[in-house]
């Protein structure tokens, strides 16, 4: 990511008024995307929904659910044209910080085994696989498992 681009980057809380932009990204990157209702429910439930903006462009977002001292990263998505440029790492670091500041001692997530770029990102940041949810995700030919990963939170840098 260039220094000029990084200097224009802002992490911002998202709301109902951002749903069209969120859905444009979601529908552009997933064959089985979340629905508008999934995002509306997340916002209504008080989940942390943050986005990464460069100038006025929403380039990615995450949805984080808190449960006592544990956080669950429900969704982290980067616009297709912005993937592989460091925005995923920036959003993940922000999600980890937000979870830690909200009192979480660990962060859980599920990821498709076929999503090798996401797996590499999570492993880079120290997430460890702790389980498998069989048949968790819809897939082109049936169902795909989910790898359950966990990261013990502490100081987060980057």
């Amino acid at each position: 990511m260039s220094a000029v681009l990084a200097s224009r980057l802002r992490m911002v809380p998202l709301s109902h008024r951002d749903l069209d932009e969120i859905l444009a990204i979601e529908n552009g990157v997933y064959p089985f995307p979340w629905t508008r209702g999934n995002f509306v429910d997340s916002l209504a439930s008080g989940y942390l929904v943050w986005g990464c903006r460069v100038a006025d462009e929403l380039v990615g977002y995450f949805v984080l659910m808190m449960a006592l001292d544990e956080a669950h990263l429900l969704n982290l998505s980067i616009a297709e044209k912005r993937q592989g440029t460091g925005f995923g790492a920036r959003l993940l670091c922000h999600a980890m910080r937000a979870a830690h500041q909200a009192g979480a001692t660990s962060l859980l997530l599920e990821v498709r085994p076929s999503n090798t770029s996401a797996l590499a990102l999570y492993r880079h940041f120290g997430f460890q696989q702790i389980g498998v949810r069989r048949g968790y995700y819809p897939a082109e030919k049936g169902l795909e498992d989910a790898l359950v990963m966990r990261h013990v939170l502490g100081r987060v840098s980057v």
Side-chain angles (χ1 to χ4, degrees):
M1 183 178 309
S2 73
V4 172
L5 195 59
S7 71
R8 296 175 36 207
L9 182 145
R10 295 176 298 125
M11 296 293 176
V12 295
L14 300 178
S15 69
H16 290 88
R17 69 180 167 272
D18 302 298
L19 285 175
D20 289 340
E21 289 177 285
I22 292 169
L23 287 165
I25 293 172
E26 183 78 7
N27 291 323
V29 298
Y30 295 117
F32 301 95
W34 276 25
T35 65
R36 179 177 291 271
N38 293 132
F39 288 103
V40 168
D41 290 347
S42 294
L43 288 164
S45 295
Y47 297 170
L48 302 177
V49 182
W50 281 79
C52 178
R53 288 193 178 277
V54 174
D56 290 330
E57 177 192 359
L58 182 66
V59 297
Y61 54 86
F62 68 79
V63 178
L64 186 69
M65 177 182 73
M66 296 298 302
L68 301 174
D69 65 345
E70 196 168 79
H72 193 147
L73 186 62
L74 301 175
N75 191 327
L76 188 148
S77 301
I78 305 298
E80 188 172 22
K81 70 179 182 178
R82 296 293 196 161
Q83 291 181 1
T85 58
F87 290 111
R90 297 234 179 187
L91 267 171
L92 181 59
C93 284
H94 191 79
M96 292 165 67
R97 275 191 215 96
H100 189 254
Q101 289 171 353
T105 58
S106 64
L107 178 58
L108 295 172
L109 59 85
E110 289 89 14
V111 62
R112 290 175 185 267
S114 63
N115 191 343
T116 56
S117 58
L119 273 171
L121 175 68
Y122 298 139
R123 288 183 176 137
H124 174 79
F125 281 94
F127 282 80
Q128 300 291 316
Q129 182 179 333
I130 60 168
V132 175
R133 296 190 199 283
R134 302 278 178 219
Y136 186 77
Y137 290 113
E140 291 296 324
K141 296 180 179 172
L143 298 171
E144 183 176 3
D145 294 344
L147 304 180
V148 181
M149 301 185 84
R150 179 176 179 258
H151 179 75
V152 175
L153 296 171
R155 186 184 161 115
V156 180
S157 60
V158 169

